[in-house]
Amino acid sequence: MTTTAAGDPRQLRAEIARTRAALGETVEALAGKADVKARAKGAAAGLAYRVQARTAAVAGVLLGEAAAAATTVAERAGATSGAVVVAVRDPQVWRRLRRPIPAAVLSAAVTVAVAVVAMGVRGRR
């Protein structure tokens, strides 16, 4: 506080008004820090926003990978259709053509499954 002339009531009133305003701001700031419920809600809202943003980013990546996998599967299916016709006619050829499923195809299938689940979870919210 500043010292004012003892006999000037206007200066005293102005000083009292400034002190009340400063005290009110201090009380509001302390009340905001003490309001745990409001702070928790704010933190939860921030977390929810970050989770939604990350989910959208991951879903975009998964959809891109699923599209690439679908293209690969379509290309491979087109390339192997002639072999299937030959294998149907000759079982010996079928035995030679049959081989384990490549890791890339399995990875693509898993990626598509994860994308479908992610979109289902995102659709529920």
Side-chain angles (χ1 to χ4, degrees):
M1 278 193 199
T2 62
T3 56
T4 60
D8 192 4
R10 285 181 292 188
Q11 286 182 346
L12 285 173
R13 286 187 188 113
E15 183 66 30
I16 290 170
R18 284 192 297 272
T19 303
R20 283 183 181 163
L23 183 59
E25 291 173 7
T26 303
V27 168
E28 285 181 25
L30 289 173
K33 288 186 177 186
D35 191 0
V36 176
K37 186 176 180 181
R39 290 176 65 194
K41 281 184 179 181
L47 178 62
Y49 175 78
R50 289 192 306 273
V51 167
Q52 288 176 348
R54 178 160 283 182
T55 301
V58 169
V61 169
L62 289 177
L63 289 175
E65 289 180 7
T71 302
T72 302
V73 168
E75 290 171 355
R76 288 188 181 178
T80 59
S81 63
V84 171
V85 170
V86 171
V88 168
R89 293 183 182 159
D90 186 3
Q92 295 299 325
V93 173
W94 173 251
R95 285 189 194 106
R96 278 186 271 136
L97 291 175
R98 196 171 72 188
R99 58 183 181 253
I101 299 173
V105 174
L106 287 176
S107 175
V110 169
T111 302
V112 169
V114 169
V116 168
V117 169
M119 295 306 285
V121 168
R122 187 173 181 215
R124 289 183 187 174
R125 291 181 180 194

